[in-house]
């Protein structure tokens, strides 16, 4: 599989409640996170995707790949403009919200400050 990276970033901070969603959801936000959400977010610098986000691509945390099953209609815009992305690790249709991407459900790696998040697309598709 030839993979092309369309997004990369690094976690630079973590709110004190980031574990509140267990292994089902993570929220990433740039420096404009609302005060009511900051405690629940991983902080990332704002960075833009180099291609459109779509189902079939892969979301990665520290080289652990999760296939993207669904991309909400606001997810790419929010990520590019605010550094905001909600990732649902449930692989269920219940999590299909406008600012959310839904990825396959599997064990999460240990996420910490310095962890890399990336989005890849398969050049052969």
């Amino acid at each position: 599989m030839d993979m092309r990276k369309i997004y990369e970033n690094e976690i630079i901070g973590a709110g004190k409640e980031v574990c509140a969603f267990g292994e089902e959801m993570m929220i990433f936000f740039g420096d404009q996170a609302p005060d009511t959400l900051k405690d629940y977010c991983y902080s990332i610098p704002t960075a833009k995707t180099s291609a459109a986000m779509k189902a079939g691509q892969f979301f990665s945390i520290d080289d652990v790949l999760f296939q993207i099953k669904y991309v909400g209609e606001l997810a790419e815009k929010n990520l590019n403009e605010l550094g905001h992305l909600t990732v649902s690790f449930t692989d269920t249709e219940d999590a299909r919200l406008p600012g959310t991407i839904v990825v396959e459900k599997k064990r999460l790696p240990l996420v910490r400050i310095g962890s890399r998040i990336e989005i890849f697309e398969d050049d052969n598709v």
Side-chain angles (χ1 to χ4, degrees):
M1 194 166 21
D2 292 325
M3 303 282 267
R4 182 169 64 97
K5 189 183 306 180
I6 67 161
Y7 179 82
E8 66 181 316
N9 215 325
E10 184 175 312
I11 295 172
I12 58 172
K16 63 184 179 199
E17 300 291 333
V18 293
C19 294
F21 305 112
E23 293 207 349
E24 291 196 353
M25 186 169 65
M26 284 184 188
I27 302 172
F28 300 94
F29 223 120
D31 58 7
Q32 299 174 3
D35 289 338
T36 53
L37 275 182
K38 278 184 182 174
D39 285 345
Y40 299 93
C41 297
Y42 288 98
S43 300
I44 57 173
T46 302
K48 294 193 180 311
T49 57
S50 63
M53 292 170 54
K54 55 188 180 248
Q57 293 172 332
F58 294 88
F59 176 79
S60 162
I61 302 173
D62 288 337
D63 300 321
V64 178
L65 294 175
F66 299 83
Q67 187 172 31
I68 298 173
K69 305 292 189 163
Y70 168 81
V71 177
E73 65 266 20
L74 296 177
E76 183 178 338
K77 179 180 189 287
N78 288 348
L79 181 60
N80 287 331
E81 294 179 7
L82 304 170
H84 175 47
L85 182 66
T86 300
V87 181
S88 169
F89 296 89
T90 60
D91 198 4
T92 66
E93 294 197 14
D94 298 348
R96 291 183 172 205
L97 300 169
T100 300
I101 66 170
V102 178
V103 301
E104 67 183 307
K105 183 176 183 159
K106 65 181 181 182
R107 189 165 184 82
L108 294 176
L110 177 65
V111 179
R112 61 197 182 293
I113 294 171
S115 287
R116 281 187 340 275
I117 60 169
E118 297 164 310
I119 298 173
F120 296 94
E121 66 181 5
D122 186 347
D123 281 343
N124 295 322
V125 176

